[in-house]
Amino acid sequence: MVLFFYYPGKYVVNELGRQGHTVFIPTRGDDMEWRHLKLMGDLGKIQPMYFDPKVKESVAATMEHSDIVINCIGKRYETKFILPFLKNYTYYDTNVKVAETIATCAAEAGIEKYVHVSALAADEDSPSEWARTKAIGEKSVKNIIPTATIVQPGQLFGTEDYWLNTIAWLTRTRWPILKPYIISGGQQKIQPLWANDAGRAIANAALMNNTSGKTYKLAGPKQYTMKEVVEYVLETLETDVEYRDIPAPIAELMALPFEGIYNPKLVHDMVRLSQQDNILRDVPGTLTIEDLGIKPTEMEAEAYNYLLRYRKGGTFEHGSVDSL
């Protein structure tokens, strides 16, 4: 099979490799992006393939030896050239154009199973360009491959996440103006999903026989407000740093200086997205992560393990020895 990966794609690779499948991983040439994945399967089972997602022939070549295609490509910010206003990949490029190219190549190659990873927040009417283009890309894929399996993960958390780690990082940064924050009261609801569970669910969507043409909404077992999430992180870190409540317009202005840098902690589109609820709606007939054979893990059960490193004193500062 071929897997176009991005976070949580590495967790999908891990699950597929654990089961002994051969996985071809298209990469744009940076070996640092994929070399750690070779350890997730037996010798020769995890194979990188260099490609250009903007060149159809290059994309098609990655599928020559596969029967399943999984598209996990996504980006939480728009990548730029040297100048901030010259964009290399916009949200539309990544979430729509690249998705259409991959789906078209898969359809022409006669791929038996196609899985497209969208987002729980996908909505064509969303003020977030990321969420809007996710919805458009999802619709385009279904037009090209009506039997495509759509998987919509919610907010992910895990060891490498850009969510809880960013909140924790803001408690330790030396920049005096940067502190943990909530936006407009922090009453927006969220239903976090462990990245490992998301990876297993996506792999199951590709391997199970009865998933073609269906849409699965993946979310964790509990809902929180963003205020509760921030308070949980600060409580876990046992810090005296306090969070700030920032009005949404001010938060968008604060994000502007980060727009032009590499791997930004915040961009204005993230602020817009965070102003909406990102939860599983109680709609009859909705297929969830349980329908893919996964019982989701609560945030408190896993997040504690990697947030500890942000405590003053580090991982081993747990209080008394008797508590270990």
Side-chain angles (χ1 to χ4, degrees):
M1 67 181 65
V2 60
L3 171 67
F4 294 84
F5 85 102
Y6 188 64
Y7 189 81
K10 61 186 69 177
Y11 298 94
V12 184
V13 174
N14 184 55
E15 181 63 22
L16 297 173
R18 186 184 67 81
Q19 296 186 34
H21 296 281
T22 299
V23 184
F24 296 98
I25 305 172
T27 173
R28 290 186 292 166
D30 185 354
D31 291 356
M32 295 294 290
E33 291 183 348
W34 61 264
R35 65 180 188 176
H36 57 289
L37 303 178
K38 298 197 74 171
L39 302 175
M40 296 179 179
D42 290 336
L43 184 62
K45 287 290 188 177
I46 311 296
Q47 293 288 341
M49 300 185 72
Y50 297 102
F51 87 125
D52 184 342
K54 292 184 177 180
V55 178
K56 182 180 177 182
E57 293 76 14
S58 177
V59 175
T62 65
M63 305 180 187
E64 291 180 351
H65 307 291
S66 299
D67 53 356
I68 298 174
V69 170
I70 307 172
N71 178 20
C72 291
I73 289 180
K75 200 70 172 178
R76 62 191 179 86
Y77 61 93
E78 295 181 312
T79 52
K80 288 89 174 173
F81 288 110
I82 297 176
L83 298 176
F85 53 84
L86 293 177
K87 295 180 179 179
N88 185 18
Y89 280 91
T90 65
Y91 290 122
Y92 193 88
D93 289 336
T94 302
N95 297 331
V96 182
K97 289 184 178 180
V98 171
E100 289 176 345
T101 300
I102 295 173
T104 299
C105 291
E108 293 176 354
I111 295 297
E112 297 176 13
K113 189 72 167 290
Y114 188 87
V115 178
H116 177 76
V117 179
S118 182
L120 189 62
D123 181 1
E124 288 191 61
D125 297 322
S126 173
S128 162
E129 180 69 4
W130 178 86
R132 191 182 73 83
T133 54
K134 276 289 187 182
I136 296 172
E138 181 181 315
K139 183 183 292 186
S140 297
V141 167
K142 290 291 284 186
N143 287 336
I144 297 169
I145 306 179
T147 59
T149 301
I150 306 296
V151 180
Q152 299 176 329
Q155 174 63 58
L156 300 181
F157 71 91
T159 308
E160 304 163 284
D161 71 40
Y162 295 99
W163 185 48
L164 299 184
N165 276 304
T166 297
I167 299 171
W169 174 81
L170 287 170
T171 69
R172 300 296 304 276
T173 179
R174 301 191 181 195
W175 289 63
I177 62 172
L178 295 180
K179 299 294 180 184
Y181 64 91
I182 57 175
I183 297 176
S184 301
Q187 294 306 304
Q188 305 87 349
K189 295 180 180 179
I190 201 157
Q191 199 164 345
L193 176 66
W194 191 30
N196 298 56
D197 288 338
R200 292 168 58 207
I202 295 168
N204 286 354
L207 299 174
M208 293 169 64
N209 294 325
N210 59 344
T211 61
S212 294
K214 298 179 180 179
T215 297
Y216 294 86
K217 297 181 180 294
L218 311 185
K222 293 176 63 176
Q223 295 182 6
Y224 309 81
T225 64
M226 277 305 302
K227 180 180 178 181
E228 290 172 337
V229 171
V230 173
E231 288 176 342
Y232 163 73
V233 173
L234 299 187
E235 181 182 351
T236 300
L237 302 187
E238 298 180 351
T239 179
D240 56 0
V241 174
E242 297 182 354
Y243 63 83
R244 295 173 177 172
D245 188 353
I246 304 174
I250 301 300
E252 288 197 37
L253 288 175
M254 290 174 60
L256 289 178
F258 295 94
E259 291 284 342
I261 66 175
Y262 171 74
N263 197 19
K265 297 287 185 182
L266 183 71
V267 295
H268 74 277
D269 198 82
M270 296 180 194
V271 176
R272 293 176 181 174
L273 182 64
S274 68
Q275 294 173 53
Q276 298 179 295
D277 291 344
N278 189 9
I279 58 176
L280 189 62
R281 306 293 180 179
D282 187 15
V283 178
T286 298
L287 298 175
T288 67
I289 193 169
E290 285 87 355
D291 294 295
L292 292 171
I294 306 297
K295 183 179 179 180
T297 304
E298 292 187 5
M299 182 177 69
E300 293 87 346
E302 291 294 336
Y304 180 85
N305 298 325
Y306 65 89
L307 289 176
L308 284 179
R309 67 180 183 265
Y310 293 99
R311 279 186 178 178
K312 291 182 179 179
T315 303
F316 302 103
E317 187 64 29
H318 287 267
S320 66
V321 176
D322 294 336
S323 66
L324 296 177

